[in-house]
């Protein structure tokens, strides 16, 4: 099973601008994070992933870095960072940096030089081309609406940006760029950071010649996808990074790699690849999109059977060959309880059930801030209360196309990244105790009911349940390494699976609905010596596991001995 600490740990993602403000400017900061480390230690997580905190004009909330070696002043200073790292280590936790290597900010000094003239030595740090037929060099569409090309009259050329025009793509074909990035990564490693999440890493190489995309059946956002994703040279570059820099450090790496299946993921994370430890896959994030090609905003109901298919495939293909990163939410996605659970009557039960699902899979579980207290989506009244560049561009584009405002807002309510970005809800005080000033984005008005203070008081809370799940993972190797097997693949309400390691057998039973379906323990599982490890309900006096009526969003996990199997 090739044990590794990064397989056994639980990651907690902090979105710094929304976590905790220590100085009343309405923006979360490093001292704010430091003040909450005891809380995270109490939860039991071992690794903290902090979304970007580098110097940045913040057009895309820090994923537009203007100095890789400095801290954005609103977040604090490098001294604050050093204190944060020390305090994390003092609590036996680790820190993972979020590193954006595909692009920089348009305010990065490299880009300022690059755009200043065609013969500037930094010109080739980015991707510049002449226009074609008085338009952009090719027909690729950016992730954040419109062309990937921005015209710059100063030198009469266009530069490429897969994301917003404030995020020019770096030119990884230039060895000087690669050297500079390696140096920078090494600088952080020498400081003692414990890992990296590599943003948009599958896009660092673009197809030779930057040809037009020719796939009229797909919509704009993905039309050119194959021309800038997962190209062979991405792997060569990652292996170089590993062989030149990373191999010397006992760190954990995870790559953001949309649009791949598990077989393809093995190219990044397969044992012996010398690339990454795990990747974030997106297949289950498209379950509620009308089609993979239609973009995320075209929302349809999702199906449990399909979710099972996707997750099972990842569990099976990567077992003993690579490693999974398991998540339901992050700063780019809606809140998990609103999307996959029930954020009304069954908010607590369904959040606990979803947590059970993620924490009992093979792979490293990720918790996004606020998920551990069941924070929900937000529906602001007007577009000007939104802050996310993707959401604002989408609104503008659709309005220009004449789509009625309420239709656009409904899609935004379901899918805007701001759903996950409203401030962390700490207590009952104004602005949920996040800030004493005016928050950069409004707090979800449900904070008097949903907040950390409440959850810490209540023994049945979502927080307390997460704590138990995390503690169980530390105790039972079968939860980390056990081989997964799906039960009842076509059941539309129940997701059940087993995990097996040596003599241990774990049975995970999850009701994904607000109804009361019957679960039947498969015959091959002998119930002698089986114990319940955790559940979000009290077990009934006379539960019959061969005919168990599950309650809404009920989750149960049993541990037994696999040699007791009747075969
Ligand atoms: C993925 C990040 O998670 C997202 O927030 C960002 O907008 C894009 N990459 C561009 O860096």
């Amino acid at each position: 099973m090739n044990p590794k600490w990064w397989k056994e740990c639980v990651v907690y993602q902090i979105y710094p601008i929304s976590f905790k403000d220590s100085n009343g400017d309405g923006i979360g900061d490093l001292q704010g994070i430091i003040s909450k480390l005891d809380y995270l230690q109490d939860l039991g997580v071992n690794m903290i992933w902090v979304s970007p905190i580098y110097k940045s004009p913040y057009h895309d909330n820090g994923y537009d870095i203007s100095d890789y070696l400095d801290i954005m002043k609103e977040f604090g200073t490098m001294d604050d960072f050093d204190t944060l790292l020390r305090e994390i280590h003092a609590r036996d936790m680790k820190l993972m940096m979020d590193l954006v290597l595909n692009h920089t900010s348009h305010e990065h000094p490299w880009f300022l030089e690059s755009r200043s003239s065609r013969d500037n030595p930094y010109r080739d740090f980015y991707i510049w081309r002449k226009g074609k037929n008085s338009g952009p060099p090719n027909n690729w569409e950016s992730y954040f609406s419109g062309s990937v090309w921005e015209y710059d009259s100063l030198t009469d050329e266009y530069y490429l940006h897969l994301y917003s025009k404030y995020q020019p793509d770096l030119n990884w074909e230039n060895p000087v760029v690669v050297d500079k990035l390696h140096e920078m990564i090494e600088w952080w490693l020498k400081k003692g950071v414990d890992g990296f999440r590599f943003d948009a890493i599958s896009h660092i190489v673009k197809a030779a010649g930057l040809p037009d995309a020719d796939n009229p059946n797909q919509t704009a956002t993905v039309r050119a996808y194959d021309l800038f994703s997962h190209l062979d040279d991405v792997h060569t570059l990652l292996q170089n990074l590993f062989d030149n820099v990373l191999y010397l450090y006992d760190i954990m790496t995870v790559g953001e790699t949309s649009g791949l299946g598990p077989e393809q993921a093995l190219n990044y994370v397969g044992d012996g690849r010398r690339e990454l430890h795990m990747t974030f896959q997106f297949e289950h994030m498209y379950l509620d999109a009308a089609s993979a090609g239609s973009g995320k905003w075209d929302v349809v109901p999702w199906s449990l059977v399909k979710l099972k298919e996707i997750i099972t495939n990842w569990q099976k293909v990567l077992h003993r060959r690579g490693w999974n990163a398991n998540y339901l939410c992050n700063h780019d996605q809606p809140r998990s309880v609103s999307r996959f659970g029930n954020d009304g009557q069954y908010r607590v039960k369904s959040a606990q059930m979803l947590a059970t699902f993620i924490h009992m899979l093979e792979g490293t579980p990720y918790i996004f801030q606020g998920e551990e207290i069941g924070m929900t989506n937000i529906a602001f009244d007007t577009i000007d209360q939104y802050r996310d560049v993707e959401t604002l561009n989408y609104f503008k584009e659709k309005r220009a196309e004449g789509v009625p405002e309420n239709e656009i807002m409904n899609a935004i309510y379901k899918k805007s990244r701001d759903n996950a970005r409203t401030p962390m809800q700490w207590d009952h005080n104004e602005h949920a105790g996040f800030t004493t000033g005016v928050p950069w984005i409004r707090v979800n008005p449900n904070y008097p009911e949903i907040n950390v203070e409440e959850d810490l008081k209540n023994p049945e809370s979502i927080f307390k349940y997460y704590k138990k799940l995390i503690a169980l993972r530390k105790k039972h190797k079968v939860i980390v390494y056990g081989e997964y097997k799906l039960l009842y693949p076509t059941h539309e309400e129940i997701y059940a699976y087993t995990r097996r390691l040596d003599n241990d057998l774990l049975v995970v039973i999850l009701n994904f609905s607000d109804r009361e379906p019957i679960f039947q323990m498969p015959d091959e599982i002998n119930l002698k010596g089986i114990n319940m490890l955790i559940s979000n309900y009290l077990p009934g006096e006379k539960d019959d596991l061969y005919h168990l009526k599950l309650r809404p969003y009920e989750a149960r996990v049993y541990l037994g001995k696999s040699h007791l199997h009747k075969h």
Side-chain angles (χ1 to χ4, degrees):
M1 62 191 186
N2 192 10
K4 297 277 186 234
W5 64 263
W6 42 264
K7 295 183 178 174
E8 297 177 15
C9 74
V10 175
V11 184
Y12 185 94
Q13 182 189 356
I14 289 183
Y15 197 61
I17 193 172
S18 298
F19 192 61
K20 174 69 187 164
D21 174 20
S22 72
N23 61 2
D25 64 0
I27 290 176
D29 47 44
L30 300 186
Q31 285 298 338
I33 300 177
I34 293 168
S35 72
K36 295 297 181 186
L37 289 179
D38 289 339
Y39 166 75
L40 297 176
Q41 190 183 23
D42 179 33
L43 179 58
V45 297
N46 333 62
M47 170 66 102
I48 297 171
W49 152 24
V50 188
S51 279
I53 50 175
Y54 316 88
K55 189 170 169 201
S56 162
Y58 227 67
H59 287 288
D60 187 21
N61 293 19
Y63 289 89
D64 48 328
I65 299 172
S66 57
D67 187 344
Y68 287 104
L69 304 183
D70 201 358
I71 302 293
M72 186 166 95
K73 66 175 184 319
E74 288 80 354
F75 287 152
T77 62
M78 197 51 86
D79 280 347
D80 293 327
F81 177 82
D82 292 338
T83 312
L84 173 66
L85 186 59
R86 221 179 23 247
E87 292 294 321
I88 288 177
H89 287 164
R91 287 169 181 78
D92 229 3
M93 297 188 287
K94 294 176 185 281
L95 176 64
M96 179 158 88
M97 301 293 281
D98 200 328
L99 206 43
V100 188
L101 302 175
N102 178 67
H103 46 271
T104 67
S105 157
H106 69 311
E107 289 184 17
H108 194 291
W110 297 342
F111 189 71
L112 298 180
E113 289 286 338
S114 180
R115 63 170 295 212
S116 66
S117 76
R118 286 199 204 171
D119 52 15
N120 186 284
Y122 288 86
R123 185 65 168 182
D124 283 344
F125 268 49
Y126 296 86
I127 303 169
W128 291 95
R129 292 289 184 277
K130 292 210 128 334
K132 229 172 51 189
N133 312 326
S134 63
N138 69 23
N139 66 359
W140 299 4
E141 301 273 343
S142 121
Y143 273 111
F144 293 164
S145 308
S147 167
V148 298
W149 296 101
E150 180 71 11
Y151 178 67
D152 195 12
S153 58
L154 194 65
T155 53
D156 190 27
E157 283 191 342
Y158 291 76
Y159 66 86
L160 185 145
H161 58 89
L162 292 184
Y163 296 89
S164 83
K165 64 179 177 188
Y166 309 113
Q167 296 162 290
D169 280 45
L170 282 163
N171 176 16
W172 278 75
E173 280 180 19
N174 180 347
V176 188
V177 170
V178 175
D179 283 350
K180 291 260 181 224
L181 294 174
H182 284 192
E183 256 169 51
M184 175 274 289
I185 292 171
E186 197 154 15
W187 188 89
W188 283 104
L189 287 168
K190 286 194 172 137
K191 245 186 189 310
V193 304
D194 308 288
F196 296 107
R197 175 230 185 225
F198 293 123
D199 184 79
I201 198 69
S202 43
H203 303 318
I204 57 176
V205 179
K206 282 79 181 168
L210 307 175
D212 271 339
D214 179 22
N215 196 347
N217 295 328
Q218 295 189 331
T219 59
T221 42
V222 293
R223 193 185 290 145
Y225 186 81
D226 294 340
L227 298 172
F228 58 72
S229 306
H230 311 296
L231 297 174
D232 288 348
D233 284 350
V234 174
H235 298 290
T236 315
L237 289 166
L238 282 174
Q239 285 166 11
N240 286 345
L241 173 61
F242 184 86
D243 291 341
N244 288 318
V245 186
L246 305 184
Y247 80 103
L248 279 173
Y249 299 84
D250 182 21
I251 56 163
M252 156 172 167
T253 56
V254 53
E256 190 203 24
T257 54
S258 63
L260 46 61
E263 291 290 351
Q264 208 180 358
L266 284 171
N267 295 338
Y268 291 94
V269 305
D271 292 341
R273 283 293 292 190
R274 307 189 331 279
E275 291 191 33
L276 300 170
H277 292 138
M278 54 194 108
T279 67
F280 289 125
Q281 63 91 6
F282 280 66
E283 286 195 294
H284 61 316
M285 292 290 115
Y286 277 93
L287 273 174
D288 54 4
S291 73
S294 72
K296 73 177 205 176
W297 301 101
D298 197 354
V299 188
V300 294
W302 60 277
S303 113
L304 181 64
V305 172
K306 193 80 200 132
L307 175 70
K308 290 194 256 192
E309 245 173 59
I310 292 170
I311 299 296
T312 300
N313 196 22
W314 280 88
Q315 292 285 299
K316 282 188 161 163
V317 173
L318 263 53
H319 184 65
R320 289 180 183 276
R321 296 166 74 198
W323 195 248
N324 276 292
N326 296 315
Y327 73 98
L328 286 176
C329 188
N330 62 39
H331 64 290
D332 292 332
Q333 300 295 338
R335 287 280 173 188
S336 53
V337 69
S338 301
R339 189 180 195 183
F340 297 107
N342 173 319
D343 62 7
Q345 188 185 353
Y346 296 113
R347 185 183 65 86
V348 174
K349 295 295 180 201
S350 67
Q352 292 168 332
M353 184 279 292
L354 292 170
T356 318
F357 165 51
I358 288 295
H359 286 251
M360 292 296 147
L361 289 172
E362 182 174 356
T364 300
Y366 286 72
I367 303 169
F368 178 68
Q369 69 181 42
E371 209 175 4
E372 79 281 15
I373 56 166
M375 280 176 62
T376 66
N377 279 353
I378 185 77
F380 291 130
D381 295 336
T382 56
I383 189 68
D384 54 271
Q385 290 165 358
Y386 284 85
R387 297 285 174 268
D388 168 32
V389 62
E390 182 193 40
T391 305
L392 300 175
N393 285 357
Y394 169 74
F395 183 86
K396 238 186 286 161
E397 187 183 86
K398 291 292 149 187
R399 280 307 283 153
E401 285 171 15
V403 179
E405 197 165 318
N406 66 329
E407 231 173 81
I408 309 174
M409 290 310 281
N410 281 335
I412 288 177
Y413 292 158
K414 289 247 156 43
K415 285 296 183 71
S416 169
R417 304 194 297 181
D418 281 340
N419 281 310
R421 297 178 180 187
T422 61
M424 182 71 185
Q425 294 164 205
W426 293 105
D427 57 37
H428 298 89
N429 293 318
E430 205 190 358
H431 306 311
F434 161 69
T435 180
T436 53
V438 181
W440 71 279
I441 187 171
R442 288 186 192 206
V443 173
N444 193 316
N446 62 20
Y447 74 85
E449 183 205 340
I450 304 173
N451 63 63
V452 168
E453 194 183 22
E454 277 298 312
D455 264 37
L456 290 178
K457 281 197 304 230
N458 175 0
E460 310 294 317
S461 70
I462 303 171
F463 176 91
K464 292 283 167 62
Y465 190 87
Y466 264 92
K467 218 177 137 163
K468 279 188 218 155
L469 283 171
I470 296 167
L472 283 171
R473 182 179 197 80
K474 291 180 183 163
K475 198 163 152 206
H476 301 284
K477 291 272 184 259
V478 63
I479 296 179
V480 181
Y481 297 107
E483 182 169 9
Y484 166 103
K485 183 178 163 212
L486 180 65
L487 306 173
Y488 305 117
T490 55
H491 200 293
E492 286 171 4
E493 289 159 338
I494 299 174
Y495 190 160
Y497 54 91
T498 57
R499 306 275 312 283
R500 183 184 303 231
L501 181 74
D502 304 328
N503 287 332
D504 284 339
L505 179 77
L506 202 69
V507 186
V508 183
I509 307 160
L510 309 163
N511 178 7
F512 266 74
S513 79
D514 58 5
R515 291 170 295 276
E516 299 188 330
I518 305 292
F519 173 77
Q520 189 186 352
M521 192 66 91
D523 276 348
E524 81 244 28
I525 296 174
N526 191 323
L527 296 186
K528 222 158 88 208
I530 210 165
N531 286 314
M532 189 153 91
L533 279 188
I534 188 167
S535 173
N536 56 353
Y537 283 87
L538 286 176
E541 289 274 299
K542 293 198 249 17
D543 278 345
D544 173 3
L545 285 184
Y546 292 111
H547 189 90
L548 180 66
K549 189 195 257 192
L550 294 173
R551 288 156 283 187
Y553 297 101
E554 180 159 4
R556 295 183 177 217
V557 181
Y558 289 90
L559 180 62
K561 289 289 169 208
S562 63
H563 66 249
L564 293 176
H565 272 209
K566 307 179 201 154
H567 274 297

